[in-house]
Amino acid sequence: MCGIFGAVGPTAERLGQGVMDRVSASLAHRGPDSEGRHFEPECVLLHRRLRIIDLSEQAAQPMSNEDGTIWVVFNGEIYGHQQLREELLAAGHVFRSRSDTEVIVHGYELWGDAVVERLDGMFAFGLWDARRRRLLLGRDRAGKKPLYYSRAGGLFRFASEVKALHASGVPTGLAPEALPHYLTHGFVPPPATLHVGVEQLPPACKMVIEPGRLGSEDSAPYWRPHFGTRGPAPGFNDAAREVRRLVVRAVERRLEADVPLGAFLSGGIDSSIIVGLMSRALGPGVRTFSIGFAGDARYDETHYARLAARAFGTTHTEFTLEPSSFELVEKLVWHHDGPFGDSSAIPTYVVAGLTRQHVTVALSGDGGDELFCGYVRFLAAEAAERLPLRLRRLGADLAARLSGTGAGSERSLLGRARRFMGASALPLDERMARWNTFFPDLRALLRPEVAEALAKSPASRMRKGSALEAPLAWQRAVFAECQGDSVLSRVLEHNFRTYLPFDLLVKADRTSMAHGLELRSPFLDLALMEYAFALPPAYVRRGPETKRVLKYAFRDLLPEPILKRGKMGFGVPLGTWFRGDLQALLQDHLGPGARLYEYLDARAVARLLDEHGRSLADHGQRLWALLTLEIWLRTLRAEARLPLPSAVEAAMEANGEPHRSRPEKALA
């Protein structure tokens, strides 16, 4: 687990030690143990190290082959690297460390760019081949480890986090064409980002960069998930046995470390299985960590976490999150390199910090819901397809009448039913997009002149249509590629390719690495994923029951109350807190003069605040998305910010409104 940076190009070496000092400082949280650098005329590499496997200096990075012609900087873990090592040793390669990093170096020598396909784990790396004068980038299949890049200033630069690119000299600023994605999804899918001039390598992709041909590079996928049965299905009992074998194997492969290990424990199905298997493999006393919430019992799972901890004999620690913990929001915006829509980053950040006080590596249950149908919305999408369109339209009409009446919070049964009915009349691809949408009607939220400018501007690179239409077009394009043989398989694949990598795994990486904590996800093991993809729908759900085969596979391991409990989800009681202790925080950040009103209609935001404050609706998640956007906009230096589209600025000045990003309006 580490932070990486590199630059290639004719003038790469000119970055110099001073620039590299700033880059190193920006990534220090990801790799607090040590730092390494490598300089060549056309390539510079930097690595911040978090020591996990082979703590010696022999495993330090940047790491090279024997003659110093191949160099790599790597972030992540390669599971099963011992088997790759044996294959490479048999081919005559010589190893000087026990590190998994070294299999990438020698693997490239033997297999070339195909080394990426041979890696099983979570990873992002940059490999410089000095003889061929080319850089190879690779990113893991699920998208656990991030990799950003920029072509600014005649150099190709890559890094684990955007802040490292900025520290190296890439200008800062908002990319307006990406704003509709953020306001719709709470994230921006690759290759775009909210940062002008910065892109991200998609999951399961690799890219080759040659200093003499900068600007011609493009990413190429080497793997893709495919949900749906292929060939005769195994019997249910046989499938359960194989699921159990693969989960056990995945956990055991993630117990390799030369530092202390622990686990996140929510008391849900997934984390309880992981902790139970860890306890069987390591014995009693495994360190476990959980978090609860003050003020709203609907969000507190600590009772179940304590039950699991007692059942498995763990050494358990828990923390209660108070509204005052929102003092962390500005720090989290910094770690996320911008706004983010998932408010559960707050408790994840806190529990990661608590965990890091005791261990360096933690296992989590991330991915279990995505593989085994753990969300109610999956069942809702499937159920709606069975209803006649006439009934779905009646439901949508009823949902519209309930909107703004205070009928149910986001987590109440009525609130969920309203969300389900509100999207039920839409086509399936739009329904999937709408379920996790913050602001489905962007024209009602954006300033009219901003909406018109975005409607006329092209979407970001590799996308068709206008920037305003891009969010729905992207969702439809992803769904069209999901070719499973059932509604449920297509819905599961769509979620795996959207919500998992661009929300859940981003949150997991940023909040854990903020504390130098390595977070491992057994459910995202390659063999387990590919087996689960092909399970028949009836094996993962039956009626309202989700995770059917997973529960059956571990029915002897899980305590009965956990086995039979429903899905709660890991969220924050924003609805309650934003009407209480944190109401002043919202008014301070979203009141008149807020930076986001350069782009958003102040009256639309005022309506959200009013409806939420009077309990006419639960807008907690939407207000959270706007709050983090405002905090990020305040951090951008006025002189470096990208101006609004020219048509928007002209319209504002015609109305006598100053452009707030000008230096005279800069924040102190």
Side-chain angles (χ1 to χ4, degrees):
M1 255 334 149
C2 308
I4 64 175
F5 170 83
V8 297
T11 61
E13 200 173 34
R14 296 182 189 174
L15 287 180
Q17 297 291 356
V19 170
M20 298 298 270
D21 287 345
R22 293 194 293 273
V23 171
S24 180
S26 73
L27 294 172
H29 54 284
R30 297 187 72 94
D33 294 332
S34 63
E35 182 229 72
R37 306 178 186 184
H38 173 70
F39 282 80
E40 293 184 21
E42 290 186 309
C43 174
V44 297
L45 300 172
L46 181 141
H47 183 263
R48 292 290 318 208
R49 185 182 180 193
L50 176 63
R51 292 187 175 98
I52 301 293
I53 298 174
D54 189 348
L55 309 185
S56 73
E57 287 303 310
Q58 295 299 316
Q61 299 183 43
M63 182 179 286
S64 73
N65 62 348
E66 296 90 335
D67 63 5
T69 56
I70 307 295
W71 289 86
V72 70
V73 283
F74 162 66
N75 169 32
E77 296 288 347
I78 306 302
Y79 306 117
H81 64 93
Q82 299 90 342
Q83 288 75 24
L84 293 176
R85 177 186 296 264
E86 291 172 4
E87 189 174 345
L88 291 164
L89 286 170
H93 291 270
V94 178
F95 285 74
R96 63 175 181 267
S97 75
R98 293 189 295 108
S99 169
D100 53 345
T101 307
E102 201 165 357
V103 302
I104 303 176
V105 174
H106 297 302
Y108 175 78
E109 291 181 297
L110 183 61
W111 302 307
D113 295 355
V115 66
V116 183
E117 290 94 317
R118 301 295 300 267
L119 304 179
D120 179 7
M122 52 179 180
F123 58 85
F125 69 84
L127 184 147
W128 170 247
D129 184 336
R131 287 174 297 191
R132 299 174 65 188
R133 298 177 57 245
R134 67 198 297 270
L135 175 73
L136 172 66
L137 300 182
R139 191 172 175 209
D140 69 77
R141 292 165 178 82
K144 281 188 62 66
K145 293 291 100 184
L147 197 56
Y148 297 92
Y149 60 91
S150 171
R151 300 177 176 85
L155 291 177
F156 184 96
R157 312 175 215 211
F158 67 92
S160 296
E161 297 184 8
V162 177
K163 61 179 65 65
L165 299 176
H166 291 157
S168 76
V170 174
T172 61
L174 168 70
E177 71 277 3
L179 189 60
H181 275 292
Y182 174 73
L183 294 172
T184 302
H185 311 305
F187 58 78
V188 179
T193 73
L194 269 177
H195 300 265
V196 62
V198 175
E199 297 181 73
Q200 50 184 323
L201 187 67
C205 284
K206 56 186 175 182
M207 177 185 282
V208 174
I209 300 95
E210 299 176 0
R213 301 177 58 200
L214 293 182
S216 63
E217 56 281 325
D218 205 351
S219 62
Y222 64 86
W223 179 88
R224 61 155 289 183
H226 177 73
F227 283 73
T229 54
R230 296 179 291 279
F236 180 78
N237 289 339
D238 291 337
R241 281 191 291 270
E242 183 63 5
V243 165
R244 181 169 182 134
R245 185 187 72 81
L246 290 172
V247 174
V248 170
R249 174 179 175 268
V251 170
E252 291 175 346
R253 296 176 87 198
R254 283 157 180 78
L255 297 181
E256 181 190 8
D258 296 328
V259 292
L261 294 99
F264 288 179
L265 179 59
S266 69
I269 297 290
D270 304 328
S271 66
S272 297
I273 289 173
I274 300 302
V275 170
L277 294 177
M278 288 181 70
S279 297
R280 289 193 174 185
L282 303 176
V286 170
R287 296 299 305 249
T288 55
F289 307 87
S290 65
I291 194 164
F293 300 94
D296 198 329
R298 293 171 298 176
Y299 291 78
D300 197 316
E301 296 184 274
T302 53
H303 165 71
Y304 289 103
R306 289 192 294 270
L307 190 157
R310 287 194 298 269
F312 301 131
T314 74
T315 301
H316 189 61
T317 306
E318 65 182 42
F319 184 87
T320 299
L321 188 65
E322 302 280 351
S324 60
S325 299
F326 273 70
E327 298 169 359
L328 300 172
V329 178
E330 291 188 6
K331 190 177 294 185
L332 269 172
V333 169
W334 185 85
H335 280 293
H336 279 76
D337 287 314
F340 53 99
D342 193 338
S343 60
S344 67
I346 285 279
T348 310
Y349 177 90
V350 173
V351 77
L354 175 70
T355 302
R356 186 61 173 92
Q357 295 174 19
H358 304 276
V359 301
T360 311
V361 176
L363 274 61
S364 82
D366 288 343
D369 288 321
E370 283 65 33
L371 293 184
F372 296 102
C373 186
Y375 298 118
V376 174
R377 67 176 182 270
F378 297 157
L379 304 183
E382 188 181 39
E385 285 296 286
R386 300 194 186 104
L387 295 175
L389 181 59
R390 179 176 57 84
L391 290 180
R392 286 190 274 146
R393 285 174 174 166
L394 287 174
D397 182 62
L398 178 59
R401 296 186 183 192
L402 289 173
S403 179
T405 65
S409 70
E410 289 285 326
R411 287 225 165 180
S412 70
L413 182 61
L414 185 56
R416 289 177 174 176
R418 187 175 67 243
R419 290 173 62 202
F420 166 67
M421 292 188 300
S424 60
L426 298 172
L428 181 57
D429 54 357
E430 290 188 43
R431 202 180 317 140
M432 288 302 301
R434 181 69 64 89
W435 190 266
N436 279 332
T437 294
F438 287 84
F439 298 101
D441 185 1
L442 291 178
R443 286 188 178 273
L445 178 68
L446 294 166
R447 296 173 62 111
E449 60 270 29
V450 173
E452 287 306 313
L454 291 173
K456 295 175 183 177
S457 65
S460 57
R461 192 172 70 89
M462 294 176 62
R463 298 208 179 96
K464 299 178 181 179
S466 76
L468 194 64
E469 300 164 341
L472 182 56
W474 172 71
Q475 292 274 9
R476 282 175 163 166
V478 173
F479 198 84
E481 294 176 358
C482 301
Q483 300 296 320
D485 53 1
S486 68
V487 170
L488 185 61
S489 65
R490 295 197 297 276
V491 167
L492 287 171
E493 183 174 332
H494 178 269
N495 182 80
F496 190 94
R497 296 178 59 186
T498 57
Y499 182 65
L500 174 71
F502 310 135
D503 184 307
L504 293 185
L505 296 184
V506 171
K507 173 189 68 178
D509 176 80
R510 302 307 186 277
T511 57
S512 59
M513 293 309 294
H515 303 283
L517 175 74
E518 176 171 309
L519 196 60
R520 299 175 176 176
S521 306
F523 282 108
L524 296 178
D525 181 83
L526 178 58
L528 176 60
M529 288 192 300
E530 294 190 331
Y531 187 79
F533 291 165
L535 290 174
Y539 286 14
V540 295
R541 64 95 179 92
R542 180 171 58 184
E545 180 187 13
T546 60
K547 299 185 179 176
R548 181 189 173 206
V549 71
L550 185 65
K551 294 175 184 176
Y552 187 81
F554 290 98
R555 64 195 183 282
D556 64 322
L557 178 71
L558 295 172
E560 192 74 9
I562 291 176
L563 189 64
K564 292 185 175 181
R565 65 170 298 202
K567 174 71 176 175
M568 178 179 285
F570 193 47
V572 179
L574 289 175
T576 301
W577 290 356
F578 280 165
R579 294 187 188 100
D581 294 348
L582 298 178
Q583 192 169 24
L585 177 73
L586 282 179
Q587 295 296 340
D588 175 61
H589 284 80
L590 302 183
R595 294 269 173 178
L596 53 77
Y597 297 136
E598 296 175 10
Y599 308 97
L600 307 187
D601 187 325
R603 293 166 297 181
V605 177
R607 281 194 297 272
L608 293 174
L609 289 167
D610 178 66
E611 289 176 1
H612 188 84
R614 294 195 291 137
S615 298
L616 296 177
D618 186 350
H619 294 309
Q621 299 299 332
R622 298 176 187 88
L623 294 173
W624 166 265
L626 298 183
L627 173 64
T628 60
L629 175 61
E630 172 63 18
I631 290 172
W632 179 59
L633 290 174
R634 291 186 183 192
T635 66
L636 295 179
R637 292 168 50 213
E639 63 269 25
R641 291 174 59 197
L642 186 72
L644 292 168
S646 57
V648 177
E649 187 171 359
M652 290 176 65
E653 291 183 348
N655 292 331
E657 300 181 51
H659 180 195
R660 289 193 185 93
S661 64
R662 289 174 175 167
E664 64 267 23
K665 292 291 185 179
L667 291 176

